[in-house]
Amino acid sequence: LDLKNGAGSVYKGTPKNDKPDCTFILEDDLFTQIMDGSTDPQKAFMSGKLKITGNVLASQKLQAIWENPEEEEEKMSFAPAPENNELPMKSDFVFEAFAERLHEEPELAKKIKVVYHWNVLQSGKKGSEWTVDLKSGSGSIYRGPPKSGKADVTLTMEDEDVILMMLGKLNPQRAFMTGRLKIKGNIMLTQKLNQLWQEILKSGRAVELPILSAILGDKPFDATLRSETCFVELGKRVSRQPDLITKLNTVFDWNVTKGGKKKTQWILDLKSDKAMLCRGPAKEGVKPTISITVEDDVFADWIQFKINSNQVLSDKGTKIEGDASVVSKLLDNLKVASKL
């Protein structure tokens, strides 16, 4: 964890440049407990379970950063919310994923020196507005119209069609010819953006995209359920921890209720070669080993850090068929993943 060079970085292995200021040695489970706040790192250090070489005071600074929940909760909005606080549109998650990739790989902006302005529609009405600025500095993606100057290309499209195009299931030229995509500007510049996005999809560099593609390519969100978009966040957290398959080796069957009545079902497969999350029921050949019934608001509150894992498991609406300790371990690991 390098918080000294440039904008900071996290990677597997030993430091690439300087010697570390602090080295931590601890068990895997203890790391999880410290990160989810259930174990005090100072007590772990005093008891010998956590070993630190180097500047111990510097390690306390790291703890102070990690344990600032109010600031972190602001940052962990899994899709920038519209001003009217309605359910985020599917394309919001695509733009967010693109923004994260651009932050990780600023050199992508150098490939296309263009400012794109997106008007995303919901059933013909204005839904959201995004700017993909690949011209200024290292590039930026944000909600709203361009902050400076005019866009080189303005695109207007339905939310579901944006998803289809970004997932490579709708050719932008065909969409334009059939009226599903309206463009002001050079259509070839749109093709360049699409080619860049497809390159990112195929490269595997954006680890969350396979799971996001499976979720977003499915039916529209149910606006009456808070958990709908929360499962997108669940998928992102799972994608950040590929070792969960080895740790848990389980297929989870999530049944979401509202007022005690089942509303939707999701399958989290951590047993196959690659983790996958999709709407239920389970596909042929995939057999759930643990079934979890949880209230819509309870699941959403947990994802948004309003309640902890123990409160989820102890809620009267939560029912588990299978090993509850595995469910608890899943919830704890996913909370840690939200901060990675």
Side-chain angles (χ1 to χ4, degrees):
L1 171 60
D2 183 350
L3 301 178
K4 181 182 286 186
N5 297 301
S9 59
V10 180
Y11 52 87
K12 184 174 287 188
T14 56
K16 295 176 181 177
N17 300 314
D18 308 320
K19 288 184 178 180
D21 298 291
C22 291
T23 297
F24 304 88
I25 301 174
L26 68 165
E27 288 288 331
D28 178 65
D29 286 342
L30 179 59
F31 177 81
T32 300
Q33 292 163 11
I34 289 175
M35 293 306 172
D36 69 15
S38 61
T39 294
D40 186 335
Q42 291 185 341
K43 290 182 179 179
F45 174 69
M46 295 301 292
S47 66
K49 294 180 179 179
L50 168 63
K51 295 179 174 60
I52 302 176
T53 59
N55 189 338
V56 177
L57 292 178
S59 69
Q60 292 177 338
K61 289 182 180 180
L62 175 62
Q63 180 186 353
I65 294 172
W66 192 272
E67 294 181 349
N68 189 347
E70 292 182 0
E71 182 178 343
E72 286 302 316
E73 286 174 22
E74 289 293 324
K75 293 179 181 177
M76 281 306 303
S77 173
F78 35 90
E83 292 181 0
N84 57 11
N85 291 321
E86 291 181 355
L87 194 71
M89 299 170 72
K90 283 188 175 183
S91 56
D92 290 345
F93 295 98
V94 174
F95 285 112
E96 185 191 41
F98 198 178
E100 290 176 2
R101 186 52 25 207
L102 186 61
H103 176 72
E104 293 290 330
E105 300 181 63
E107 64 274 12
L108 291 174
K110 297 178 182 178
K111 295 184 177 182
I112 310 175
K113 289 289 185 179
V114 180
V115 176
Y116 298 90
H117 179 204
W118 284 84
N119 291 308
V120 184
L121 307 178
Q122 186 79 59
S123 300
K125 298 180 181 179
K126 184 176 180 180
S128 63
E129 194 174 6
W130 286 85
T131 294
V132 179
D133 183 351
L134 302 178
K135 183 180 286 186
S136 305
S138 57
S140 60
I141 298 175
Y142 51 87
R143 186 183 288 275
K147 295 176 181 177
S148 58
K150 289 185 177 181
D152 298 296
V153 184
T154 297
L155 307 98
T156 302
M157 200 174 198
E158 281 286 332
D159 185 48
E160 292 289 335
D161 284 341
V162 174
I163 295 298
L164 291 175
M165 191 171 79
M166 290 298 193
L167 297 182
K169 298 179 180 179
L170 177 62
N171 183 284
Q173 288 185 329
R174 177 169 293 182
F176 175 72
M177 296 299 292
T178 56
R180 294 167 71 176
L181 169 62
K182 294 180 173 59
I183 299 175
K184 289 183 180 179
N186 188 339
I187 188 174
M188 296 310 296
L189 295 179
T190 306
Q191 192 74 10
K192 284 186 177 182
L193 178 64
N194 189 58
Q195 289 171 353
L196 176 61
W197 181 251
Q198 297 308 313
E199 176 189 328
I200 293 172
L201 273 175
K202 294 175 182 177
S203 70
R205 296 194 299 268
V207 295
E208 73 277 10
L209 285 178
I211 286 182
L212 284 182
S213 298
I215 298 172
L216 299 177
D218 205 339
K219 64 181 182 180
F221 293 140
D222 183 341
T224 67
L225 299 176
R226 292 173 59 206
S227 60
E228 290 285 87
T229 55
C230 290
F231 272 101
V232 180
E233 173 65 12
L234 175 67
K236 290 171 65 176
R237 294 185 194 180
V238 166
S239 67
R240 295 181 187 129
Q241 291 204 95
D243 59 335
L244 280 178
I245 293 178
T246 305
K247 284 183 177 180
L248 303 179
N249 193 33
T250 302
V251 178
F252 297 88
D253 179 8
W254 294 84
N255 296 285
V256 179
T257 59
K258 196 171 182 68
K261 296 181 179 179
K262 182 177 176 179
K263 291 295 183 179
T264 188
Q265 180 182 15
W266 292 81
I267 303 297
L268 173 60
D269 184 355
L270 296 179
K271 203 168 188 176
S272 301
D273 292 339
K274 292 184 179 180
M276 186 51 64
L277 175 67
C278 61
R279 292 187 185 274
K283 293 180 172 58
E284 186 176 352
V286 177
K287 186 177 180 180
T289 45
I290 294 180
S291 177
I292 309 164
T293 299
V294 63
E295 273 287 308
D296 176 63
D297 284 335
V298 171
F299 181 82
D301 284 346
W302 169 68
I303 285 287
Q304 295 171 358
F305 306 111
K306 295 179 180 178
I307 60 176
N308 60 37
S309 303
N310 290 332
Q311 289 172 297
V312 175
L313 297 176
S314 62
D315 183 80
K316 63 180 181 180
T318 301
K319 297 179 178 61
I320 297 174
E321 295 179 18
D323 189 344
S325 67
V326 176
V327 179
S328 181
K329 195 168 186 178
L330 170 70
L331 297 180
D332 289 341
N333 274 275
L334 292 179
K335 182 175 180 180
V336 172
S338 70
K339 299 181 179 181
L340 295 180

